[in-house]
Amino acid sequence: MTNKNLLILGGVAAVLAAVAFSLNSSSKTVGAKLNGEKVLPSLNVADVASVSYGDKLLISSSADGWKIDTYYGYPASREKIADNLLKLAELKVGQTARGVKIEKPISVRLSDAEGKVVAELPLGDRHSKWGRGRYALYKNQSVLLSDQLDAFEESEDVDATAKRWCETKIVDEPWISFNKVVDPKTDPQLFGFSTGVVAKVTIGSDTNKTITVGAAVKDSTDRYVKIASSDWVYTVSSYSIESLLPKAP
């Protein structure tokens, strides 16, 4: 090989090296610039009329208030909705996640009253090592968010996901929280309310409410429970309603 050819090859190699360095430096600079950026900077919480997370969660607002469509239309908590939407509005990039590939992201979509998507964020898994933060796709890059967004549950457990968006406490005194909201299509004969125990309880400031404790749930220690003037039926842990049950002779 002649000296001329060597010089030409050397020049080409130098150019390629310079280009590679430039691209690598540019990538690092772009990645670093994302740190601390708000992920949804244009999100106006007041515009949001529905929240969805893939097919696992759908919450919508109507004239009757917010409801969890994927949980039999059970009422959602306005406080929890406000907290979670504000958390999204303040969400920032913690750092870029180089080398992390989000295989099957699930998108959080926020829509207005006309169904137009006002914000969308594809989410990945939680950070397994630190126990905080959540992977997401932002500006075509994998990033680690500043919050792990617990409200958007990756589990297939519908009850666990819904509980993050509704109030589980149904009675103030004694304190009673539900384990599950019963599917409204369930056969009422299973509940045992006709022969159940009726007791007076306090809900909010109203001490004149009554609660009916029905039969035990099949293959469980939970009991069916219903509050007067409400169409909803719940399953509740037996130990939380023992004080309402008749004492054994």
Side-chain angles (χ1 to χ4, degrees):
M1 184 176 291
T2 65
N3 290 337
K4 182 178 181 182
N5 289 336
L6 287 173
L7 289 173
I8 292 173
L9 290 176
V12 171
V15 170
L16 291 176
V19 170
F21 177 79
S22 175
L23 290 174
N24 188 47
S25 300
S26 176
S27 175
K28 289 183 178 179
T29 303
V30 171
K33 284 184 177 180
L34 295 181
N35 295 353
E37 279 193 15
K38 278 192 174 183
V39 180
L40 302 173
S42 60
L43 174 60
N44 183 355
V45 173
D47 292 338
V48 179
S50 71
V51 181
S52 68
Y53 178 55
D55 59 357
K56 301 173 184 293
L57 177 73
L58 175 60
I59 303 173
S60 62
S61 175
S62 66
D64 299 325
W66 285 86
K67 61 180 181 176
I68 308 173
D69 300 81
T70 45
Y71 203 48
Y72 317 120
Y74 190 73
S77 164
R78 291 181 62 89
E79 290 76 13
K80 291 186 177 182
I81 290 171
D83 287 345
N84 287 316
L85 289 181
L86 288 173
K87 186 178 292 186
L88 287 172
E90 296 299 321
L91 193 62
K92 295 181 180 180
V93 174
Q95 65 183 59
T96 53
R98 295 188 184 90
V100 174
K101 187 175 182 181
I102 302 176
E103 298 289 349
K104 296 180 180 179
I106 302 177
S107 287
V108 173
R109 288 189 180 91
L110 309 178
S111 304
D112 61 18
E114 297 178 353
K116 179 184 176 182
V117 176
V118 296
E120 182 171 357
L121 179 63
L123 295 180
D125 297 331
R126 293 181 178 85
H127 192 289
S128 58
K129 184 176 180 181
W130 295 345
R132 63 181 185 273
R134 184 77 170 267
Y135 290 112
L137 291 176
Y138 175 63
K139 292 186 176 179
N140 297 320
Q141 292 197 53
S142 295
V143 299
L144 187 62
L145 302 175
S146 57
D147 194 282
Q148 65 181 15
L149 301 177
D150 284 332
F152 300 98
E153 180 63 50
E154 300 154 85
S155 169
E156 295 296 331
D157 187 344
V158 176
D159 294 282
T161 303
K163 283 181 180 180
R164 299 180 186 276
W165 295 88
C166 64
E167 179 57 65
T168 59
K169 182 182 71 172
I170 55 176
V171 175
D172 293 308
E173 191 179 330
W175 182 289
I176 298 176
S177 295
F178 70 77
N179 287 333
K180 292 186 176 183
V181 172
V182 179
D183 185 344
K185 297 178 182 178
T186 304
D187 184 357
Q189 293 186 357
L190 297 175
F191 303 149
F193 290 145
S194 59
T195 57
V197 176
V198 180
K200 182 179 287 188
V201 296
T202 301
I203 301 176
S205 59
D206 190 348
T207 58
N208 296 316
K209 291 286 186 180
T210 57
I211 184 172
T212 304
V213 181
V217 180
K218 184 179 180 181
D219 300 325
S220 171
T221 59
D222 287 3
R223 302 285 291 265
Y224 289 111
V225 164
K226 187 176 187 299
I227 299 173
S229 73
S230 171
D231 294 329
W232 295 103
V233 176
Y234 308 93
T235 66
V236 172
S237 300
S238 296
Y239 64 79
S240 68
I241 53 173
E242 286 178 351
S243 62
L244 302 177
L245 302 175
K247 299 298 185 290

